[in-house]
Amino acid sequence: MKEHTKIMILKERTKSVTYRVLESLNYRMRLTAEEKTNYENQVKGFAGEIQFDSYMAQAKISGLVLNDLILSHRDTSFQIDSLLITNDSVYLYEVKNYAGSYFYKEESLFTESGYQILNPLRQIDRSVTYLQNVMLRIGYTLPIHPVIIFINPDFILYSFLPNKLFLFSNQLPKHFNALSNQKKLIKNEHLELANKLKKLHNENYRPDNLPTYHFDQLKKGIICPICFSTSHIDTRQNYVCSICGHKEIITSVIERSIIEFKDLFPDKPIMTNLIYQWCGEVYSKERIRMILKKNYQNHLSGQKTYYSDKQLS
Ligand SMILES: [Zn+2]
């Protein structure tokens, strides 16, 4: 039988809802200093996770990977950056993209100026406990190994790390290499576990610390996905960014603007007129209506038609 020394990604990494909302708001309203910092942290965090993924992709492990998993236990939701299920264990990775100099004491990281940034051990302990409970609930008891990764090569730590849970980016190849030596095939029950966890992923999760904003207050128009400019010159079928030249079919531009609208306003009914305004009143209502009809379920409420996600039967 052919050996499966390959990573199988069952759930791809995507930007979190916080990242997507802050990214959109950053170009549509004035963020407070705190919100701006939060946005920059989202950008850095995601870039770090992508870097981690590239290390993982090079590893010759037979394993199943679930990225950005949001699970709930009782009333609490918790997020896992990366989960690797091997033949006999579950590895829970927490990726930190810190740069600069830090001290470690009393289980917390401090910047040089003595400002405490976080207690990574408490955070990951909590995730392990929650994950253990979720797995138990669906009938699995595999051992869970938590790993905290400092992915940025410019991260400097001026103190001894007492814990094996921590890994620096240059230790990752060795870590994955050790795992690849256990060349055992994935059991069917583990594939089942992975699929069950994927099903439990909470797609509609929204943290409660998102900024407050209203439709009327936001700048309307299409945002270029490359340079975030809102100015564009279009041909009949294509959108062309005036700043970077990014070219895209207008249908796709409208489709992604609807998705952006849904990310920002999950409770607002989707209506042709709203999307028409949202896109900057440059595409005809007829064109927008056609796209809504094609991709969404339409409902009639009094005189108004609104759209929602199609129910998968
Ligand atoms: Zn552009």
Side-chain angles (χ1 to χ4, degrees):
M1 209 171 114
K2 221 178 109 200
E3 228 170 345
H4 290 267
T5 47
K6 258 197 104 171
I7 289 271
M8 220 166 99
I9 297 171
L10 293 188
K11 187 177 173 298
E12 296 285 348
R13 190 173 302 288
T14 51
K15 291 177 181 176
S16 70
V17 64
T18 304
Y19 189 157
R20 300 194 310 266
V21 165
L22 287 172
E23 181 170 76
S24 172
L25 293 181
N26 186 43
Y27 298 99
R28 297 187 185 275
M29 67 180 247
R30 188 182 287 273
L31 295 181
T32 65
E34 197 184 324
E35 288 160 357
K36 199 125 193 160
T37 306
N38 189 5
Y39 172 53
E40 284 157 8
N41 286 338
Q42 293 292 325
V43 175
K44 270 186 235 161
F46 189 71
E49 288 162 17
I50 297 285
Q51 249 177 298
F52 171 76
D53 292 347
S54 69
Y55 279 103
M56 179 105 95
Q58 287 163 26
K60 293 186 172 58
I61 313 167
S62 45
L64 306 161
V65 177
L66 297 161
N67 293 313
D68 300 318
L69 200 57
I70 298 170
L71 299 172
S72 299
H73 178 62
R74 300 210 170 110
D75 289 337
T76 320
S77 292
F78 63 104
Q79 193 243 331
I80 296 168
D81 289 343
S82 222
L83 198 71
L84 168 68
I85 301 171
T86 65
N87 163 270
D88 55 10
S89 298
V90 172
Y91 292 83
L92 190 159
Y93 296 102
E94 174 73 34
V95 183
K96 300 288 179 203
N97 194 6
Y98 301 134
S101 315
Y102 294 86
F103 290 94
Y104 182 80
K105 64 176 181 194
E106 290 149 13
E107 301 199 338
S108 289
L109 286 172
F110 294 84
T111 61
E112 276 186 305
S113 54
Y115 175 65
Q116 182 181 356
I117 53 162
L118 90 170
N119 182 327
L121 283 177
R122 190 177 298 164
Q123 190 189 0
I124 205 156
D125 273 353
R126 190 178 148 256
S127 299
V128 169
T129 307
Y130 286 145
L131 180 63
Q132 236 152 18
N133 282 314
V134 169
M135 281 170 45
L136 212 57
R137 206 172 69 205
I138 53 175
Y140 295 85
T141 50
L142 280 175
I144 301 171
H145 306 288
V147 189
I148 299 166
I149 292 145
F150 297 110
I151 197 75
N152 200 316
D154 295 329
F155 174 78
I156 302 162
L157 199 67
Y158 287 115
S159 35
F160 172 65
L161 274 181
N163 208 301
K164 286 193 301 196
L165 297 184
F166 295 99
L167 280 184
F168 295 98
S169 57
N170 59 8
Q171 296 172 302
L172 269 178
K174 197 177 158 200
H175 167 75
F176 285 130
N177 218 6
L179 295 184
S180 70
N181 288 333
Q182 320 159 355
K183 283 199 170 111
K184 290 177 187 161
L185 298 183
I186 291 294
K187 295 174 192 154
N188 252 342
E189 55 174 303
H190 295 167
L191 183 62
E192 271 169 31
L193 164 65
N195 280 321
K196 280 182 186 166
L197 289 175
K198 188 185 171 183
K199 256 198 170 149
L200 289 173
H201 169 71
N202 181 358
E203 207 158 307
N204 298 319
Y205 170 75
R206 289 178 83 81
D208 42 28
N209 63 348
L210 291 174
T212 23
Y213 50 88
H214 304 282
F215 182 81
D216 294 335
Q217 139 208 27
L218 300 186
K219 184 178 175 185
K220 311 298 186 298
I222 305 290
I223 292 178
C224 171
I226 310 298
C227 73
F228 303 105
S229 148
T230 48
S231 68
H232 53 103
I233 313 157
D234 295 354
T235 61
R236 224 162 64 93
Q237 294 301 332
N238 289 303
Y239 154 103
V240 184
C241 171
S242 335
I243 306 298
C244 76
H246 167 73
K247 193 174 153 185
E248 192 175 344
I249 295 169
I250 289 172
T251 307
S252 131
V253 164
I254 296 173
E255 278 170 356
R256 69 173 164 83
S257 292
I258 298 169
I259 291 169
E260 188 188 346
F261 175 88
K262 281 174 52 191
D263 271 343
L264 289 170
F265 304 103
D267 301 324
K268 239 186 184 15
I270 304 169
M271 289 188 286
T272 307
N273 203 37
L274 267 183
I275 300 300
Y276 170 74
Q277 289 175 47
W278 182 242
C279 293
E281 307 186 5
V282 289
Y283 303 122
S284 74
K285 290 181 187 173
E286 198 40 54
R287 196 170 200 167
I288 289 165
R289 189 174 294 115
M290 263 168 55
I291 291 169
L292 283 171
K293 264 192 175 157
K294 194 183 120 221
N295 299 322
Y296 296 90
Q297 180 75 50
N298 63 323
H299 310 268
L300 210 63
S301 166
Q303 299 282 30
K304 285 180 174 156
T305 305
Y306 66 96
Y307 299 85
S308 66
D309 285 333
K310 280 185 179 163
Q311 294 298 322
L312 297 169
S313 52

